[in-house]
Amino acid sequence: IRRQRQMCIRDRNRLHRSALPCLLVSIMACGTETEVEPEVMLPVTPIELVSGEFGTAEGIVFNGEGRLFVVADTDVWEVATDGTPTMVADLVTPVGLAARGATEILVGDFGPLTFNADGENSDGEVVSLTPAGETSVVATGIGDPNFIHVRADGSLLVSDDFTDIIYAISPSGELTTFLQGIQSPNGLVESLDGSELYVAQTFSCLLYTSPSP
């Protein structure tokens, strides 16, 4: 995984151009590469909030109360404003975080199996978590649930890493295939009017599609 992630990071430092007829909108699409020197321009000086506590960190989100949560190693942590981390829940392979409602945190957990190590699987879960550490399973049957997008009606869109599937989870927990055909989907975001869905691919491009039939 580390080697693939590093390749992805290097890929993001390049400007890609191509005209792909299958895309309605293509940003940083894969094709002929033009090397550009990355220019870092920050309007503020970064302040290190937590140091030496985590091996690796992934998802990060504020809940509806403004409390900060982060996935690090196999755990979900709450981080206080002074940088003090408190472990909230110990999961298996948590990755993505999302907030829903006033307090709820949603976690995408790959589970014990991952596609790149174990092949096709369906042991991933989307887990609901309270700030007190209480957990409940929202949905199962996803291979490696990565990014979780909360829609206006409370339903979820979940990208399945290493596949070409984006799942929908209804407010009652019903799991259905929402979209198939975009390889290695990761980050998801809808346009403000909910008519368009933007998909960031982990190992390729930034793609656009419409969630409308």
Side-chain angles (χ1 to χ4, degrees):
I1 297 176
R2 182 173 298 136
R3 184 180 305 113
Q4 292 172 326
R5 294 294 185 188
Q6 290 173 343
M7 290 172 60
C8 177
I9 292 171
R10 288 196 294 271
D11 189 62
R12 287 178 182 146
N13 288 333
R14 297 177 180 175
L15 176 63
H16 301 263
R17 299 171 184 234
S18 70
L20 302 181
C22 62
L23 305 183
L24 300 179
V25 174
S26 175
I27 304 173
M28 293 187 69
C30 302
T32 302
E33 299 180 358
T34 301
E35 293 284 353
V36 294
E37 288 295 327
E39 182 179 0
V40 179
M41 297 183 65
L42 297 175
V44 296
T45 301
I47 298 174
E48 192 171 74
L49 186 61
V50 181
S51 176
E53 295 287 343
F54 309 137
T56 59
E58 179 80 16
I60 187 169
V61 73
F62 283 101
N63 76 349
E65 298 175 312
R67 297 164 66 174
L68 180 62
F69 295 84
V70 62
V71 163
D73 304 318
T74 62
D75 308 315
V76 177
W77 300 74
E78 181 177 359
V79 179
T81 55
D82 65 356
T84 302
T86 302
M87 192 181 73
V88 177
D90 181 24
L91 301 176
V92 182
T93 313
V95 181
L97 291 181
R100 183 169 62 177
T103 61
E104 185 182 21
I105 299 296
L106 298 160
V107 188
D109 191 338
F110 279 17
L113 304 178
T114 59
F115 181 88
N116 66 317
D118 306 289
E120 185 174 349
N121 68 89
S122 59
D123 68 340
E125 298 179 335
V126 174
V127 178
S128 175
L129 175 65
T130 71
E134 299 170 346
T135 62
S136 60
V137 176
V138 175
T140 60
I142 304 174
D144 299 311
N146 195 338
F147 191 91
I148 302 171
H149 171 66
V150 181
R151 310 189 77 186
D153 63 357
S155 64
L156 309 176
L157 296 179
V158 182
S159 58
D160 188 355
D161 208 1
F162 306 108
T163 73
D164 64 349
I165 302 174
I166 297 171
Y167 289 96
I169 303 175
S170 71
S172 63
E174 180 184 4
L175 179 71
T176 57
T177 297
F178 178 80
L179 179 68
Q180 188 165 6
I182 298 177
Q183 191 63 42
S184 301
N186 193 340
L188 308 171
V189 67
E190 286 182 283
S191 58
L192 292 179
D193 63 1
S195 64
E196 299 170 347
L197 175 67
Y198 291 80
V199 180
Q201 290 181 276
T202 301
F203 304 116
S204 189
C205 321
L206 176 61
L207 305 181
Y208 152 89
T209 186
S210 172
S212 304

